[in-house]
């Protein structure tokens, strides 16, 4: 049922924050609406959206492999990480269902990959932190549950290096990338009152809890 309630949000594009105020972030609805470019039949829209989920999950598996290779420098251990990931039955369940978490996981893993690249390059520039922060923002805009990813990456960025000053600067750039994407989302949704969107984004879930 949750799959269809989330999939239905794609039919409300153009009404968000105007005639319908979602308590949860709805970027995933725009992503799943891509299938409507190819068909307008309900059953085909659902199947198309499910294939989009599958593509996100394949991307997540690929990112898991790339991240593991950079961390362990071993193809065997990287394949072991993928095997561990694929051993969870709910991963397969989400891989072919319409769920905001599927999109969020992909963007969070992409953000982690960006931050690892930055660390490998000794933070010669902070563009990867900005990109990583932007990707984490996309995960957050798919579902507010991604705040756990954001907080975890923020803490990790503070502890990853002995140079505390450099860690703080990296966190500032990551926050910059995050804030820019959030601001763009709010302006896109409601150009005349973006702060209203941000308020709903931050406090909407507390009304449901």
């Amino acid at each position: 049922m949750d799959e269809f309630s989330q999939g239905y949000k794609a039919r409300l594009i153009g009404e968000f924050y105007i005639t319908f105020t979602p308590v949860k972030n709805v970027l995933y609805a725009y992503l799943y609406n891509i299938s409507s470019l190819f068909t307008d039949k309900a059953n085909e829209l659902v199947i198309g959206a499910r294939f989009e989920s599958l593509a996100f999950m394949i991307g997540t598996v690929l990112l898991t492999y790339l991240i593991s290779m950079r961390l362990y420098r071993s193809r065997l251990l990287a394949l072991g990480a993928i095997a561990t990931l694929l051993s969870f039955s709910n991963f397969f369940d989400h891989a072919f269902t319409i769920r905001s978490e599927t999109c969020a996981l992909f963007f969070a893993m992409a953000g982690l990959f960006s931050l690892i690249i930055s660390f490998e390059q000794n933070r010669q520039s902070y563009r990867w932190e900005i990109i990583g922060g932007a990707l984490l923002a996309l995960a957050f805009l798919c579902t507010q549950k991604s705040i756990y990813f954001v907080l975890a990456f923020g803490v990790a960025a503070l502890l990853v290096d002995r140079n505390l000053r450099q860690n703080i600067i990296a966190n500032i750039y990551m926050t910059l990338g995050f804030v820019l994407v959030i601001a763009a989302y709010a302006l896109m949704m409601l150009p005349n009152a973006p702060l209203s969107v941000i308020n709903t984004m931050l406090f909407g879930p507390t009304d449901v809890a």
Side-chain angles (χ1 to χ4, degrees):
M1 189 63 183
D2 187 49
E3 177 188 20
F4 292 102
S5 67
Q6 292 199 17
Y8 175 72
K9 297 294 193 305
R11 313 308 297 169
L12 297 176
I13 288 176
E15 300 180 27
F16 291 133
Y17 303 100
I18 300 174
T19 60
F20 173 75
T21 301
V23 294
K24 298 182 179 180
N25 294 338
V26 290
L27 178 62
Y28 70 91
Y30 289 83
L31 297 174
Y32 283 125
N33 193 50
I34 293 174
S35 60
S36 68
L37 299 175
F38 306 100
T39 182
D40 58 357
K41 296 180 180 179
N43 61 329
E44 293 179 357
L45 286 170
V46 171
I47 292 172
R50 285 175 173 174
F51 272 107
E52 288 181 55
S53 281
L54 184 61
F56 278 118
M57 281 305 193
I58 291 173
T60 298
V61 171
L62 178 60
L63 285 166
T64 300
Y65 177 79
L66 294 175
I67 290 170
S68 300
M69 281 294 292
R70 289 179 177 272
L71 290 176
Y72 305 123
R73 307 295 179 182
S74 168
R75 184 172 297 177
L76 180 62
L77 290 176
L79 292 175
I82 292 177
T84 302
L85 177 64
L86 296 179
S87 69
F88 291 95
S89 59
N90 61 343
F91 183 84
F92 282 102
D93 177 51
H94 288 188
F96 205 62
T97 55
I98 304 169
R99 299 184 67 91
S100 57
E101 292 88 351
T102 306
C103 311
L105 179 60
F106 170 78
F107 288 122
M109 292 296 284
L112 176 59
F113 184 60
S114 299
L115 297 177
I116 289 174
I117 291 176
S118 173
F119 185 70
E120 283 186 339
Q121 296 179 352
N122 296 318
R123 292 170 170 170
Q124 295 175 358
S125 71
Y126 290 98
R127 67 178 182 276
W128 287 109
E129 272 80 4
I130 296 175
I131 293 172
L135 289 166
L136 288 175
L138 292 177
F140 179 74
L141 291 175
C142 288
T143 172
Q144 281 100 325
K145 296 175 187 177
S146 298
I147 191 63
Y148 300 114
F149 286 125
V150 177
L151 294 177
F153 290 176
V155 172
L158 283 175
L159 302 176
V160 73
D161 198 303
R162 292 182 179 179
N163 189 331
L164 181 60
R165 178 177 177 275
Q166 192 176 41
N167 292 344
I168 293 174
I169 293 174
N171 249 4
I172 290 172
Y173 278 98
M174 189 168 68
T175 303
L176 174 63
F178 185 90
V179 169
L180 288 175
V181 172
I182 296 296
Y185 174 89
L187 287 169
M188 180 187 74
M189 289 295 181
L190 206 59
N192 296 327
L195 292 179
S196 174
V197 176
I198 294 175
N199 181 69
T200 302
M201 186 188 309
L202 296 177
F203 301 107
T206 61
D207 298 332
V208 180

